[in-house]
Amino acid sequence: GGLRSLKWNDTSKENLNNIKLLASSSQMVTKLRAKVETNDKGEYLNHEFLEAPHRVNKQLYKLSRGRAIIYGRDWLDKSDVMLALKVGLSSVPEARGRIVENLLYKYPKPISNKDLIASTGLKSNKLTNTLGILEEIGIVTKGSSGRADTWGLNEKWGNLS
């Protein structure tokens, strides 16, 4: 009896879509946790991914399933996955997490450095260096609007916002 005997409905179309979202979330969190080497000014030099996305995926999947069970469901809802992503983002370096949360939840369209500074509370140098890191590890894409640089999530993460 109990939770171990619960039959999980892994075949519904909605559940399969949410499992794909979970896979994207896990890939993003894994990239955000990368060990990054910087120079003495905090500028990007190189990076190394220290863990496999399947490890993160397993943890976020268990968390999502646990939430679904609490809500009396035997399938994943998008809100289960989004909560797991939020928890995953809380496990990454703070500046990276702050920027990504702002781009995911507040600013789905590209945003300027100035607006990101106001939104994240990061100092200009820290923001610029962190955006450089996020661009190198494939999280954000740099664009421009007139004379100002703009930043948005890489299109790979479009299904998460």
Side-chain angles (χ1 to χ4, degrees):
L3 292 178
R4 293 190 191 274
S5 66
L6 179 67
K7 287 279 186 226
W8 198 252
N9 179 7
D10 280 334
T11 58
S12 75
K13 184 175 180 5
E14 181 176 16
N15 196 61
L16 293 175
N17 287 338
N18 288 320
I19 288 173
K20 287 178 186 172
L21 270 182
L22 199 58
S24 289
S25 299
S26 301
Q27 290 170 351
M28 175 185 267
V29 169
T30 300
K31 283 180 175 280
L32 287 167
R33 288 183 181 175
K35 179 182 177 198
V36 175
E37 187 181 343
T38 58
N39 64 18
D40 56 353
K41 294 179 186 171
E43 299 163 337
Y44 173 88
L45 293 174
N46 62 51
H47 68 275
E48 178 183 359
F49 296 118
L50 299 176
E51 62 188 327
H54 69 84
R55 183 182 163 279
V56 176
N57 192 48
K58 191 175 197 174
Q59 297 305 315
L60 296 184
Y61 182 61
K62 286 179 179 181
L63 178 62
S64 297
R65 279 182 63 162
R67 184 179 187 278
I69 290 167
I70 288 170
Y71 282 91
R73 288 184 269 105
D74 63 355
W75 47 273
L76 292 182
D77 181 279
K78 186 173 182 178
S79 64
D80 303 322
V81 176
M82 296 319 284
L83 174 72
L85 174 59
K86 197 165 191 67
V87 170
L89 288 175
S90 75
S91 73
V92 307
E94 185 182 3
R96 296 181 207 174
R98 268 201 235 173
I99 291 168
V100 170
E101 282 183 344
N102 273 276
L103 294 176
L104 268 175
Y105 306 123
K106 287 186 179 177
Y107 301 101
K109 302 253 189 275
I111 181 176
S112 70
N113 278 25
K114 182 181 168 192
D115 290 337
L116 266 174
I117 288 168
S119 180
T120 62
L122 296 171
K123 302 258 186 258
S124 179
N125 249 11
K126 179 74 171 172
L127 179 83
T128 301
N129 290 340
T130 304
L131 284 167
I133 290 167
L134 292 174
E135 184 177 28
E136 289 290 341
I137 62 175
I139 300 293
V140 300
T141 305
K142 184 179 189 177
S144 64
S145 174
R147 292 190 347 224
D149 287 340
T150 58
W151 298 91
L153 285 177
N154 184 305
E155 63 187 28
K156 176 179 178 139
W157 314 114
N159 63 339
L160 295 175
S161 52

